[in-house]
Amino acid sequence: MGRNHEVINEQLLLNDMGELREPGWSRWPIQKYVRKMVKAPKFRIKEWDYYLVMSDTFAGAFTISDDGYIGLQSVSLLEFGDNPWEHTETVLNALPLGRIGLPESSSVGPTKYMDKRLRMKFDVGQGYRRIRCKFDNFFEGKPFECDIRLRQPEMESMVIATPWDSKHAFYYNQKINTMRASGYMKFDGKTYEFNPKTDFGTLDWGRGVWTYDNTWLWSSGNADIDGNRFGFNLGYGFGNTSAATENVIFYNGKVHKLDDVTFHIPGDDYMKEWTFTSSDGRFEATFSPVLDRAACLDYKIIVSDQHQVFGRMSGKAVLDDGKTVEFSDIMCFAEKVHNKY
């Protein structure tokens, strides 16, 4: 049974008791997040902006986050060629408690982080987003830098407001896909140029109060199919999704809502072929892994076991009007993450 309650009225996200007013999904961030309305302690509030910008052969990922008792600022550089490779460098901050100052809306900026080693800034302009970063001693003593521009014409996105079965806990999240990418990344004497005809960026914008122990699955990808902007966002595990899931197809700026999508991961080997099936038959695909960006942190109180697997997705997606979009070898990712934090 699909869980597809669509929120259509502009309103505050939380009520006076710090609970969600209307759990569900929407096409625009019409529910307004106000940090001071959150009733949980500051150390439990989690806020982040995460950008992933991908070509067929390389990608960059950029995170600015304030997770209450820890801040995680990270940059990843990935290559998908004959010898797949990635490096992720993270700066940890103790007890930021909101001081990093992430915006309350995804439509305003800047989101920024600066210290002696890392300078990273996300700007939002009229119809575009911009990612700039300089990271000293990114890897093997060598610096990383980038200046990337993402086109964001007027278009729908995936927004979800999800409660947890815990007082004052909620998750407010927006995924903006199919933003055409231009600009560059530089590392170790090599320049990685993005081509807006084929390359795309995705924003994962999250604000909320999470429970301590969570496992989630998430997959996202974009492609140009005969001049059409196509993308998908699939996922579950983020709290109580009885009101809505976040499974959607993006097609030329419109969102097409899906019911449940299941990730079939083969045993304990993330590098074997995955399959995806949907309860409504509108998204069926196979996923052939190329690179597992695995990370396991165990600080006893904070535990994170992540497998963000990059690979090629092939299959079919059915739009709301019944049109079938077939896609082949889209470079994308699918992940399984278990966090205690």
Side-chain angles (χ1 to χ4, degrees):
M1 185 67 181
R3 300 187 298 279
N4 291 323
H5 174 66
E6 183 174 356
V7 179
I8 56 174
N9 296 316
E10 290 191 22
Q11 59 190 308
L12 290 169
L13 177 69
L14 302 176
N15 60 26
D16 293 340
M17 296 179 290
E19 305 289 341
L20 288 176
R21 288 175 182 267
E22 188 176 357
W25 76 281
S26 53
R27 301 169 193 271
W28 313 90
I30 54 177
Q31 300 196 77
K32 182 174 173 52
Y33 169 79
V34 179
R35 183 183 169 96
K36 67 182 181 183
M37 295 184 72
V38 178
K39 298 301 184 186
K42 285 184 179 180
F43 66 83
R44 290 188 57 210
I45 300 175
K46 302 189 189 308
E47 302 179 331
W48 70 82
D49 291 15
Y50 168 84
Y51 284 94
L52 175 65
V53 190
M54 294 187 68
S55 84
D56 194 59
T57 55
F58 59 83
F62 309 91
T63 305
I64 297 178
S65 73
D66 185 327
D67 294 328
Y69 51 79
I70 193 168
L72 296 153
Q73 324 311 327
S74 75
V75 173
S76 297
L77 176 62
L78 307 102
E79 294 188 353
F80 310 127
D82 293 336
N83 297 297
W85 172 90
E86 71 89 17
H87 181 71
T88 298
E89 195 68 18
T90 302
V91 173
L92 300 176
N93 318 105
L95 298 170
L97 299 172
R99 285 193 296 271
I100 294 173
L102 278 78
E104 292 183 328
S105 166
S106 64
S107 61
V108 299
T111 300
K112 58 185 178 180
Y113 175 84
M114 298 190 185
D115 63 25
K116 290 181 179 178
R117 185 179 165 213
L118 171 61
R119 297 166 298 288
M120 189 155 53
K121 186 178 183 184
F122 307 152
D123 285 304
V124 184
Q126 189 68 42
Y128 74 92
R129 293 174 182 269
R130 189 177 181 187
I131 303 164
R132 283 175 285 180
C133 173
K134 290 191 175 179
F135 206 144
D136 296 334
N137 188 18
F138 173 70
F139 185 54
E140 295 180 339
K142 298 162 188 168
F144 170 96
E145 70 169 273
C146 76
D147 189 345
I148 299 167
R149 199 175 177 98
L150 304 177
R151 281 186 55 207
Q152 187 189 356
E154 186 83 1
M155 61 182 186
E156 298 175 354
S157 59
M158 192 295 303
V159 186
I160 192 164
T162 304
W164 260 276
D165 298 323
S166 177
K167 196 171 178 62
H168 304 318
F170 68 93
Y171 178 44
Y172 191 47
N173 179 235
Q174 181 179 22
K175 304 279 185 13
I176 303 176
N177 283 50
T178 69
M179 292 184 288
R180 293 188 182 273
S182 57
Y184 68 87
M185 305 184 293
K186 289 183 180 179
F187 174 71
D188 194 17
K190 184 173 181 180
T191 299
Y192 303 81
E193 292 267 3
F194 289 104
N195 178 352
K197 290 184 178 179
T198 55
D199 304 340
F200 292 90
T202 295
L203 170 62
D204 170 21
W205 185 92
R207 304 291 186 268
V209 175
W210 287 49
T211 50
Y212 173 63
D213 189 342
N214 292 284
T215 298
W216 74 77
L217 296 105
W218 177 33
S219 180
S220 179
N222 302 296
D224 182 288
I225 299 179
D226 299 326
N228 299 294
R229 288 180 292 125
F230 170 79
F232 56 86
N233 184 82
L234 315 170
Y236 52 96
F238 310 92
N240 181 339
T241 56
S242 59
T245 67
E246 61 168 61
N247 301 314
V248 299
I249 300 164
F250 304 93
Y251 195 72
N252 287 336
K254 297 293 184 183
V255 162
H256 301 256
K257 189 73 181 71
L258 303 173
D259 284 351
D260 297 315
V261 176
T262 303
F263 294 40
H264 303 277
I265 306 172
D268 291 329
D269 188 350
Y270 289 91
M271 293 300 290
K272 291 181 180 176
E273 186 175 87
W274 303 24
T275 58
F276 291 77
T277 59
S278 53
S279 60
D280 55 13
R282 290 179 55 193
F283 192 95
E284 306 289 325
T286 58
F287 176 67
S288 300
V290 172
L291 175 66
D292 181 5
R293 193 183 76 79
C296 190
L297 306 173
D298 189 351
Y299 300 122
K300 304 311 174 194
I301 295 175
I302 299 172
V303 176
S304 183
D305 185 5
Q306 305 178 26
H307 289 272
Q308 185 180 31
V309 182
F310 290 82
R312 299 186 183 280
M313 184 94 79
S314 299
K316 63 164 189 154
V318 180
L319 306 183
D320 287 345
D321 64 3
K323 176 181 177 177
T324 297
V325 178
E326 295 188 356
F327 53 92
S328 180
D329 293 332
I330 292 178
M331 199 69 207
C332 63
F333 77 89
E335 71 178 26
K336 183 177 182 180
V337 177
H338 176 213
N339 278 342
K340 294 181 181 179
Y341 71 144

